[in-house]
Amino acid sequence: MTNDRNLKLLYVDDEPDLVSVVVRALRLDTHMTVRSASSGADALSLLASGEFKPDVVLLDVMMPDLDGPETLRRIAELPTGRVPVIFFTARAQSRELMDLAGGGAIGVLTKPFNPITLAKEIRTLYYASVSG
C-alpha cells in the first residue's frame, strides 16, 4: 500500500470548534475523505448504518455520555467489522497514553496538534497497523 491512496477517516469529537479545525487540517491531504460525528453514539449509528465505511476512526477520549474507550469497545462489537481506531486526547501523561494504547487502539495522538502534520501522523499509524 502506498501512503497516497485515498484514506477514509471518521473523526469523533464533541467540541464543534475543534472538529472544524481538525477537519480543515485533514482536508489539506487531498487523498483523505473526512466525515465527523459529534458523539460516540452518533459514530456508532453511522458505522452501523454502513453509510460511511471508514478505513480509520480518530476518536476523542473525553466525551460526555459515551467516552472514547467505551465507544471503541462498542465499535469492536459492530457486525460491520473491525475498524482501526486512533485515540485523540489532551491527556498527555505517559501512564494514561499507555493505558489508551493498550485498550485496543492502533495509536494515540495528543492535543494540541500540528495541523500540517496531523494527516501524516494518522497515515503512519494506520499503515503500521495494516502492514504489521
Side-chain angles (χ1 to χ4, degrees):
M1 283 186 230
T2 63
N3 283 352
D4 63 350
R5 83 165 182 91
N6 192 47
L7 190 68
K8 292 186 281 182
L9 179 134
L10 175 61
Y11 174 45
V12 186
D13 200 313
D14 63 314
E15 295 290 331
D17 291 340
L18 186 58
V19 170
S20 178
V21 171
V22 169
V23 168
R24 262 186 275 147
L26 294 176
R27 288 187 175 152
L28 293 173
D29 180 331
T30 59
H31 297 287
M32 189 173 285
T33 303
V34 181
R35 292 271 308 258
S36 64
S38 60
S39 69
D42 288 347
L44 291 167
S45 294
L46 182 62
L47 292 169
S49 75
E51 175 189 332
F52 183 68
K53 297 178 182 179
D55 297 302
V56 64
V57 175
L58 182 62
L59 181 60
D60 184 30
V61 173
M62 295 175 23
M63 295 183 291
D65 301 322
L66 197 59
D67 67 6
E70 180 61 18
T71 301
L72 171 60
R73 189 186 68 71
R74 293 187 188 186
I75 287 172
E77 295 174 352
L78 289 174
T80 53
R82 179 157 159 50
V83 179
V85 171
I86 299 168
F87 280 124
F88 199 38
T89 183
R91 293 187 165 192
Q93 296 196 2
S94 60
R95 177 70 183 148
E96 290 170 308
L97 295 177
M98 286 173 39
D99 289 346
L100 289 172
I106 62 169
V108 180
L109 296 176
T110 57
K111 303 172 192 174
F113 63 96
N114 181 334
I116 303 300
T117 61
L118 182 60
K120 181 181 180 191
E121 292 172 37
I122 290 167
R123 283 183 177 282
T124 299
L125 289 170
Y126 173 74
Y127 287 115
S129 77
V130 297
S131 67

